[in-house]
DNA sequence: GAGTGGTCTAGACCACCGC
DNA sequence: CGGTGGTCTAGACCACTCT
């Protein structure tokens, strides 16, 4: 009876692997360093490649690793904090805007969008696509839904297409005075077009931030922004940077 | 050359599967209904079980399915919106509190926690464990770190242990007047203890909400709350319920 | 073309739940 | 106990990137 515990709950191999790798990342690797390839790592740990991949996938989900097909697996930098809660950073068109307009179209809204905007299913909306960059990397792709009622002066289409068109819509929208906003965050997986914009594969985990903007007593716009879950930490509130994790502090080489 | 496109980008099977299943969920299934088991489903679609599971995993990640070992796969209800942004709902001990105290200990803080609380590594902190319920289901597990300086009257330990002890700490903390707070959201995977509290397997995807509470010009407390990513939509701001998804509206049988 | 990660297979066994 | 989802294997081929 003096032995170690009988292990009534044997730990899955991939879970143990993840722990070992986490410790290795904390102590033996520096940011940007490339790991051995999956086949070598699997052999080194004496497991099947699929099992190793299960561990790597979790580590990537937690933002510790970055994997790129055809290239390799590298140690990821700490997640970047991106502000999503302060009005200044979000209300389209503000000076310190991290968003880049991509293009814009006019379409009939889906039922869900129409409901959130409190408009009829037949009233068309402007859809502005934007892209958010941080440190030269794309971190978010956004679809901004704007009822035509919010930009009444835009009846005649002056701007041809592309970014110019998007900017024209945003310029009109900016005339409204923002009265409040309302956000929700949930986990999703990247649609094919978002994935391309975010430089990820389709299905990659993303944080979907849905924001309603209120002006003139109505819902003036609806933003659905998908952020890369692996590289982003969304910050709300006054100051911008909490730097806390459950695990011990990390170090660089 | 009159044929369909040459498909220079063949869609992965699991991705196509996911699409098919999503449509089936939207049109042919109602919330709570149980799906055929994985072996049958795989056979029906003519794929290996592992491939089918890849599709199911994504659907579970998106909150469309719920899988329980030994039981089966069921159609998940829409995600519940949980408010995390309003001070009233979070500041410990408020009347309309959805949190249930579990227990409390005094420990030396990890380096990361000490840094966030701006205290020395040697000053011990109270750690209060709480659990958040919604609709009878556990949705979040929290660790609240409270420097002893924030609850000076608590030097003598009156309450024995467990929930009573936790409540005593919270009661003291509540004396402080909250001056502000500061949150960040990121994706993580559940640690073993959190997973048990959330009724999930270790490694399950969670949304980690890190909140700093400010009072008396200091960081008075630090909360690290892990929410079930599959069932929760975190809401910030005034009103509580945005109900938007990228996909068409869902229906019930 | 060589090397990487991404997809897929067919099978096995295990842990858990409810009967 | 039978049925479920969870883990694991050993192999194959594909898509991509870089040189």
């Amino acid at each position: 009876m003096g032995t170690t515990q009988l292990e009534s709950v044997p730990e899955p191999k991939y879970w143990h692997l993840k722990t070992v790798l986490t410790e290795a990342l904390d102590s033996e690797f520096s940011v940007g360093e490339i790991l051995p390839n999956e086949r070598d790592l699997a052999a080194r740990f004496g497991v099947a490649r699929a099992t190793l991949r299960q561990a790597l996938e979790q580590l990537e989900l937690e933002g510790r690793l970055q994997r790129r097909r055809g290239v390799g697996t590298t140690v990821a930098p700490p997640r970047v904090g991106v502000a999503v809660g302060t009005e200044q950073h979000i209300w389209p068109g503000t000076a310190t805007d991290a968003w880049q307009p991509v293009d814009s179209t006019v379409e009939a809204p889906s039922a869900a969008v129409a409901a959130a905007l409190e408009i009829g299913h037949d009233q068309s909306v402007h859809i502005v696509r934007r892209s958010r960059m941080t440190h030269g990397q794309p971190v978010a792709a956004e679809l901004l839904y704007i009822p035509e009622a919010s930009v009444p002066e835009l009846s005649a289409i002056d701007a041809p297409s592309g970014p110019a068109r998007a900017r024209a819509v945003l310029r009109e929208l900016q005339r409204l005075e923002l009265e409040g906003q309302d956000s929700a965050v949930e986990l999703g997986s990247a649609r094919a077009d978002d994935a391309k914009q975010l430089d990820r594969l389709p299905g990659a985990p993303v944080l979907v931030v849905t924001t309603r903007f209120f002006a003139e007593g109505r819902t003036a716009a609806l933003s659905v922004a998908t952020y890369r879950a692996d590289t982003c930490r969304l910050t709300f509130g006054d100051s911008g940077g909490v730097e806390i994790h459950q695990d011990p502090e990390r170090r660089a080489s």
Side-chain angles (χ1 to χ4, degrees), chain A residues 31 101 139 176 215:
Chain A
V31 168
V139 293
L176 298 176

Side-chain angles (χ1 to χ4, degrees), chain A residues 143-229:
Chain A
L143 290 180
L144 236 191
Y145 300 93
I146 305 166
E148 296 200 306
S150 293
V151 286
E153 307 290 325
L154 203 73
S155 52
I157 313 297
D158 335 300
S161 66
R165 169 85 190 271
R167 266 187 288 268
V169 177
L170 292 175
R171 205 160 36 231
E172 283 305 308
L173 180 61
Q174 208 182 347
R175 295 190 180 194
L176 298 176
E177 189 181 351
L178 183 60
E179 291 163 358
Q181 67 183 59
D182 191 71
S183 300
V185 180
E186 62 187 313
L187 182 57
S189 45
R191 301 194 328 280
D193 52 343
D194 290 333
K196 182 159 286 185
Q197 218 174 126
L198 296 176
D199 192 24
R200 298 255 66 195
L201 291 178
V206 291
L207 297 172
V208 181
V209 182
T210 308
T211 306
R212 293 188 296 182
F213 296 100
F214 304 109
E216 296 183 346
R218 307 190 322 274
T219 304
L222 175 71
S223 158
V224 179
T226 69
Y227 287 81
R228 283 183 59 153

Side-chain angles (χ1 to χ4, degrees), chain A residues 69-138:
Chain A
R69 168 155 50 176
V71 179
T73 303
T74 59
V75 180
R79 285 191 172 126
V80 319
V82 289
V84 297
T86 53
E87 300 179 358
Q88 288 77 7
H89 283 93
I90 292 297
W91 185 234
T94 310
T96 58
D97 209 348
W99 291 97
Q100 307 216 340
V102 176
D103 63 12
S104 170
T105 60
V106 177
E107 296 176 23
S110 73
V113 169
L117 288 173
E118 299 169 67
I119 63 175
H121 196 289
D122 52 344
Q123 302 183 43
S124 54
V125 299
H126 294 271
I127 303 183
V128 174
R129 259 168 280 269
R130 293 196 298 176
S131 174
R132 185 167 180 172
M133 309 284 291
T134 299
H135 302 8
Q137 298 296 329

